[in-house]
Amino acid sequence: MKNKREETEKKSKNIAISLYEAFKSFCTALPTLFGVILLISLFHTFVSKQMISSVFTGNVPGDTFIGSMIGSVSAGNPLTSYIIGGELLKDQVSLFAVTAFIVAWVTVGIIQLPAEVTFLGKRFAFTRNGLSFILAIFVSIATVTTLTVIQ
Amino acid sequence: MKDKTVTENRDKKKRKEKRSFGGYFLCLILVLYLFLFFFEPERIMDSLKSSGVMCIKIVPILLVVIAFMGILNFFLNPKSVAKHIGKESGMRGWFWAIATGILSHGPIYLWYPFLEQLRDQGMRSGLAAVFLYNRAIKIPLLPVMIYYFGTKFVIVMLVYMILASLAEGKIIEMTKG
């Protein structure tokens, strides 16, 4: 009986230590995380929807590339990317460009890159973001082509 | 015993490096804020307010991530990690990475320490990339996406995104990113 109680106490103590270790590890991450949050807010305050739609030229391949680029340097809730994407479609920006834009928005994180490099390593972060940028263009081409075929 | 001390020293060194990088990065951003404040004081104040709101918003998810990390610390060992998401995981590993990526919530940067911890225990880098890519698929936001782009578009795009995530994971594993 006593042994069981001791074991339970030991277990809860170990869980508490594990949680404390996790908390300590997170505290180390806080300056980087605060930096990323401040950077995202700066982006939201200084870059407007109008600024984003003004960079598209009407040339489909070029716009797809630009879409992926703008999506990559943008950050924030994906909902915002859908709203901007919807507005871009209304402004006659091609679906290729808009798709590349919304995919890159959520898969590439240039603003979060310092945090990703800190935790997951330079090589991993750069390879992952580079590949996601290229794949956003591929996903956009594949999606719109498939839609054209099935419609 | 010796191994344990070596690991502890490595962890301490890593933590110290991370703290100093984070400190420099935060200082750089604060200098940028200060610089911009002289030209656009109102916008900078808005930006600071919005950062405050964002910090408050992420508190619940921050607690969830810390709890996850603590629980993982307690229950997982390199052997079980290897079985589910490590070298021996095979197809099951890809499936777990996709499913957990889709189901995870909150800002992406909050999940980096969690992934770092898993990788230290033996998680495959490719699976970390698949997890991060699939975080782009947000089930609660799908109705809004369908409203703007239509059901067919959303289904087709999501299928290609999952395929793209697998391609990315495979390439990262091949290049040992």
Side-chain angles (χ1 to χ4, degrees):
Chain A
M1 188 70 182
K2 201 183 165 191
N3 272 352
K4 216 175 174 183
R5 206 172 62 196
E6 272 175 8
E7 214 173 89
T8 319
E9 270 174 19
K10 203 176 162 189
K11 229 176 181 178
S12 13
K13 207 175 167 185
N14 281 344
I15 291 182
I17 291 170
S18 297
L19 283 170
Y20 175 68
E21 283 292 325
F23 177 73
K24 225 166 69 177
S25 160
F26 224 97
C27 285
T28 319
L30 282 180
T32 316
L33 296 181
F34 280 137
V36 169
I37 289 172
L38 285 167
L39 212 53
I40 292 174
S41 301
L42 210 59
F43 176 85
H44 281 276
T45 319
F46 282 89
V47 181
S48 66
K49 287 172 195 165
Q50 289 76 17
M51 273 164 87
I52 290 176
S53 53
S54 68
V55 293
F56 291 96
T57 57
N59 168 287
V60 176
D63 276 357
T64 309
F65 185 79
I66 292 172
S68 187
M69 235 164 61
I70 302 292
S72 302
V73 296
S74 308
N77 197 317
L79 207 65
T80 318
S81 76
Y82 306 156
I83 298 166
I84 298 174
E87 296 297 319
L88 290 175
L89 281 180
K90 275 187 208 161
D91 290 345
Q92 308 297 318
V93 174
S94 83
L95 189 56
F96 284 102
V98 173
T99 312
F101 170 75
I102 56 173
V103 174
W105 180 293
V106 282
T107 57
V108 189
I110 299 296
I111 293 182
Q112 297 97 319
L113 199 62
E116 194 170 338
V117 167
T118 314
F119 294 104
L120 302 172
K122 209 184 279 178
R123 189 175 172 153
F124 175 87
F126 281 102
T127 315
R128 193 192 76 78
N129 282 284
L131 281 172
S132 297
F133 171 79
I134 298 165
L135 284 167
I137 297 174
F138 276 116
V139 168
S140 129
I141 296 169
T143 305
V144 182
T145 311
T146 308
L147 280 176
T148 320
V149 172
I150 62 174
Q151 263 168 3
Chain B
M1 189 65 187
K2 198 181 168 191
D3 279 354
K4 207 182 167 190
T5 322
V6 171
T7 317
E8 273 172 10
N9 284 343
R10 200 190 57 202
D11 284 351
K12 264 186 197 164
K13 199 180 161 199
K14 220 169 152 188
R15 217 174 270 177
K16 204 177 163 187
E17 276 173 12
K18 219 181 286 171
R19 207 178 296 144
S20 55
F21 172 82
Y24 287 134
F25 176 62
L26 185 61
C27 282
L28 194 77
I29 303 297
L30 291 175
V31 169
L32 183 67
Y33 263 72
L34 194 69
F35 175 74
L36 290 170
F37 182 77
F38 291 112
F39 303 98
E40 300 271 3
E42 274 179 26
R43 278 180 165 193
I44 287 298
M45 289 316 287
D46 285 347
S47 195
L48 282 174
K49 267 182 216 160
S50 134
S51 299
V53 172
M54 219 185 284
C55 283
I56 294 166
K57 268 188 189 168
I58 65 166
V59 168
I61 190 77
L62 201 82
L63 295 176
V64 170
V65 175
I66 291 173
F68 258 170
M69 286 170 69
I71 290 165
L72 278 183
N73 260 340
F74 183 72
F75 285 107
L76 280 188
N77 54 53
K79 209 176 162 189
S80 57
V81 171
K83 190 180 165 197
H84 295 288
I85 47 175
K87 279 180 187 156
E88 308 155 20
S89 62
M91 286 294 283
R92 188 175 25 188
W94 296 108
F95 171 77
W96 275 114
I98 294 171
T100 49
I102 293 173
L103 294 174
S104 62
H105 278 276
I108 193 164
Y109 47 86
L110 290 184
W111 291 93
Y112 296 150
F114 174 76
L115 287 176
E116 183 198 26
Q117 189 185 329
L118 280 177
R119 258 196 2 181
D120 285 348
Q121 296 206 31
M123 182 193 200
R124 286 150 66 186
S125 286
L127 296 187
V130 171
F131 173 88
L132 290 173
Y133 201 100
N134 281 288
R135 283 190 31 78
I137 301 169
K138 289 278 138 276
I139 293 171
L141 298 182
L142 287 185
V144 187
M145 207 179 185
I146 289 171
Y147 170 78
Y148 277 104
F149 304 102
T151 314
K152 266 186 199 167
F153 174 89
V154 172
I155 293 171
V156 172
M157 196 185 81
L158 294 187
V159 170
Y160 281 122
M161 281 179 76
I162 292 174
L163 293 176
S165 77
L166 293 172
E168 186 172 283
K170 269 280 170 207
I171 296 170
I172 285 195
E173 279 197 347
M174 284 191 305
T175 57
K176 292 198 167 61

